[in-house]
Amino acid sequence: MVAATTPTVTRAGDPLPDGPPYDVTVIGAGVVGTAIARELARHPLRTALVEATDDIANGTSKANTAILHTGFDAVPGTLEARLVREGQRLLAGYAARTGIPVEPVGALLVAWDREQLDALPGLLAKAERNGHHAARLLDAEETAAREPHLGPGALGALEIPDEAVICPWTTPLAYATQAVRAGVHLHLDCPVRDLAYDDGLHTLTTGRGTLRSRLLINAAGLHADAVDRLLGLDTFTVRPRRGQLIVFDKLARDLVHHILLPVPTAAGKGVLVAPTVFGNVLLGPTAEDIDDKAATESTAEGLALLREKGRRVLPRLLDEEVTAVYAGLRAATGQEDYRITAHPDRGLITVGGIRSTGLTASMAIAAYVVSLLPEAGLDPGEPGELAPLTMPNLGEAGERPYLDAALIARDPAHGTVVCHCERVTEGEIRDAFASTLPPRTAEGLARRTRAGNGRCQGFHCGAALRARVEEARP
């Protein structure tokens, strides 16, 4: 087993560590970058994880549909199809071991017209080519029986029973926590400004100083093309694809039993209706190709489109209260596959074009990237096992601390509810600030505890939560 070390996490204002060059530096601490860092932590390597913002999973990874995909509709034979299939198995097992909430609700790919209905057998055959043999066709009557609140006119469906929903926030937090505890250095607030590669050694000029590394892994997501260009590569361009979503109140949860998918198009899986592990219902996403990599605002046009689509799929959903709206950006590159490439002449592995399936495939992507290290010029050494980890339960289906009488008897702080909408206790907030990777903002605290994410959106508890964040800062 890999020995635990004293965690090294640096932030704005902290000096970057001295010492020999890192063997590997991962740029980007989203779900893919943290998964790669965790996998590297199993090897005898001096590793750094560099993130431009003040927290892990602060970009695309925090704003997605949180589906644990089977990969049934991936392009057969692609790297993405393979890694999604492997990743689903790996992440499902990892989630069970670490306490990451997962709900295996299954999915229905619903046909609303004759053309869509005629496409379902082809999608079934595609699922079977991708190794997914549990899918089956449903007629209109069985579809309506499975989802009694569907809008009128559903002609049938393709059932994908193994699709699931997962917590998108706990997953990268678990990866990063294990990586840091096993010796990976995490440098937050550390944007990479320039790169130079000379005599087998990278010099990273960052917003906080200089780092050196023998090998770079570019997992910068939306900015992966820009990082590659700092080393003279111009093989792809990331054009952000914005996905806006609406989150409906928990009272809507009984309206839907599966992930309800449209027949997919080239732009993506389309607008879906899905339960979440937090007890809400999601409607979205849109698929808007834009140029601004920071344009995560919602728009009136986008929300109107979602409501129009949702009204056909699940009419009663539109009568429910909206808890929140948000938008995320996917790293579209114009190619329907991942762009994972070793560049031995530049001491670089690029991990680009990881779109909506990145959460599901993250562990398989990490294993594949580490398998490329020898090709990139670095022997990773023999892997070891990481110390086990148990994450706080954020899922509505599991027993939450405020309901656990034995836990409250041992620790009365778990009997004091601070966020009443999400029923988050003082004990959970205290533990988040005492964790290996404590939050630095109210948004970071929300992703670790759910506090402030409920129907009042922090109106009741927000001021107290922000005060706790300020008190925790050195």
Side-chain angles (χ1 to χ4, degrees):
M1 182 173 290
V2 177
T5 67
T6 301
T8 298
V9 181
T10 73
R11 299 180 173 86
D14 297 333
L16 293 174
D18 294 326
Y22 290 107
D23 295 310
V24 186
T25 295
V26 182
I27 300 175
V31 70
V32 171
T34 55
I36 294 170
R38 177 191 172 275
E39 187 67 21
L40 289 168
R42 300 177 58 226
H43 296 265
L45 298 167
R46 189 167 189 262
T47 301
L49 176 60
V50 174
E51 167 57 36
T53 70
D54 63 0
D55 203 357
I56 60 104
N58 228 0
T60 297
S61 300
K62 73 179 181 184
N64 54 54
T65 51
I67 294 176
L68 186 56
H69 296 284
T70 59
F72 77 95
D73 60 345
V75 179
T78 60
L79 180 62
E80 180 179 17
R82 184 185 116 197
L83 296 184
V84 170
R85 185 170 60 249
E86 294 174 4
Q88 190 270 348
R89 175 182 57 82
L90 291 171
L91 182 49
Y94 182 73
R97 294 192 302 275
T98 58
I100 297 170
V102 174
E103 287 190 46
V105 293
L108 297 181
L109 193 72
V110 181
W112 296 95
D113 58 38
R114 191 73 215 181
E115 182 180 358
Q116 293 177 8
L117 186 67
D118 291 343
L120 293 185
L123 289 166
L124 174 61
K126 188 177 188 181
E128 291 172 345
R129 290 200 303 275
N130 280 319
H132 187 73
H133 300 288
R136 69 187 188 95
L137 296 171
L138 307 181
D139 61 20
E141 184 177 357
E142 189 170 2
T143 300
R146 293 293 191 89
E147 288 289 350
H149 298 293
L150 275 178
L155 301 180
L158 176 65
E159 180 190 21
I160 314 293
D162 297 332
E163 295 270 307
V165 292
I166 188 170
C167 179
W169 305 324
T170 310
T171 303
L173 184 61
Y175 294 159
T177 298
Q178 273 194 307
V180 168
R181 289 182 180 178
V184 172
H185 291 186
L186 173 60
H187 303 305
L188 299 169
D189 303 299
C190 200
V192 174
R193 307 294 192 201
D194 200 5
L195 294 170
Y197 185 57
D198 184 55
D199 198 23
L201 194 65
H202 289 278
T203 299
L204 292 79
T205 302
T206 80
R208 291 177 44 216
T210 300
L211 294 171
R212 295 177 299 153
S213 184
R214 294 169 60 196
L215 181 75
L216 286 184
I217 297 176
N218 172 10
L222 291 168
H223 304 283
D225 55 345
V227 171
D228 264 16
R229 287 185 180 113
L230 291 176
L231 288 170
L233 290 169
D234 189 11
T235 57
F236 66 91
T237 296
V238 173
R239 189 179 183 196
R241 182 168 294 153
R242 181 167 59 194
Q244 301 182 51
L245 297 106
I246 301 174
V247 183
F248 288 89
D249 189 78
K250 292 176 177 58
L251 294 175
R253 178 62 181 84
D254 290 339
L255 294 177
V256 61
H257 307 303
H258 303 77
I259 303 163
L260 301 179
L261 300 169
V263 176
T265 68
K269 298 182 185 300
V271 174
L272 57 85
V273 176
T276 76
V277 295
F278 313 119
N280 302 91
V281 177
L282 280 182
L283 172 62
T286 58
E288 310 158 50
D289 288 325
I290 58 177
D291 296 319
D292 185 353
K293 294 182 179 182
T296 57
E297 66 275 3
S298 298
T299 67
E301 295 79 9
L303 298 180
L305 173 66
L306 293 181
R307 294 182 70 87
E308 176 188 340
K309 299 283 188 181
R311 184 171 286 107
R312 181 176 194 184
V313 176
L314 210 66
R316 286 182 55 185
L317 183 62
L318 277 298
D319 296 329
E320 299 294 331
E321 294 291 329
V322 171
T323 294
V325 298
Y326 67 92
L329 302 178
R330 289 160 275 177
T333 64
Q335 175 177 301
E336 298 304 306
D337 201 0
Y338 296 162
R339 293 176 178 263
I340 304 177
T341 309
H343 303 281
D345 58 327
R346 290 174 171 84
L348 172 71
I349 299 175
T350 297
V351 187
I354 312 299
R355 298 168 300 141
S356 57
T357 55
L359 171 60
T360 299
S362 54
M363 296 188 80
I365 292 171
Y368 179 70
V369 168
V370 171
S371 77
L372 296 178
L373 289 183
E375 181 182 339
L378 182 66
D379 179 2
E382 291 299 313
E385 293 300 318
L386 298 174
L389 176 71
T390 300
M391 298 300 292
N393 171 48
L394 300 189
E396 197 72 3
E399 185 173 48
R400 299 280 304 286
Y402 79 98
L403 291 172
D404 190 336
L407 174 62
I408 293 168
R410 295 192 306 271
D411 185 351
H414 285 294
T416 302
V417 174
V418 176
C419 171
H420 289 269
C421 293
E422 295 296 291
R423 299 176 296 282
V424 181
T425 67
E426 172 63 31
E428 291 173 276
I429 291 171
R430 176 205 62 204
D431 292 347
F433 283 114
S435 66
T436 302
L437 299 174
R440 303 285 288 176
T441 63
E443 291 78 11
L445 180 60
R447 294 198 295 272
R448 287 161 174 82
T449 65
R450 291 174 43 177
N453 280 345
R455 58 173 58 98
C456 87
Q457 288 291 288
F459 180 81
H460 172 74
C461 63
L465 295 176
R466 288 189 292 273
R468 290 292 300 272
V469 169
E470 292 300 322
E471 290 170 7
R473 286 178 176 169

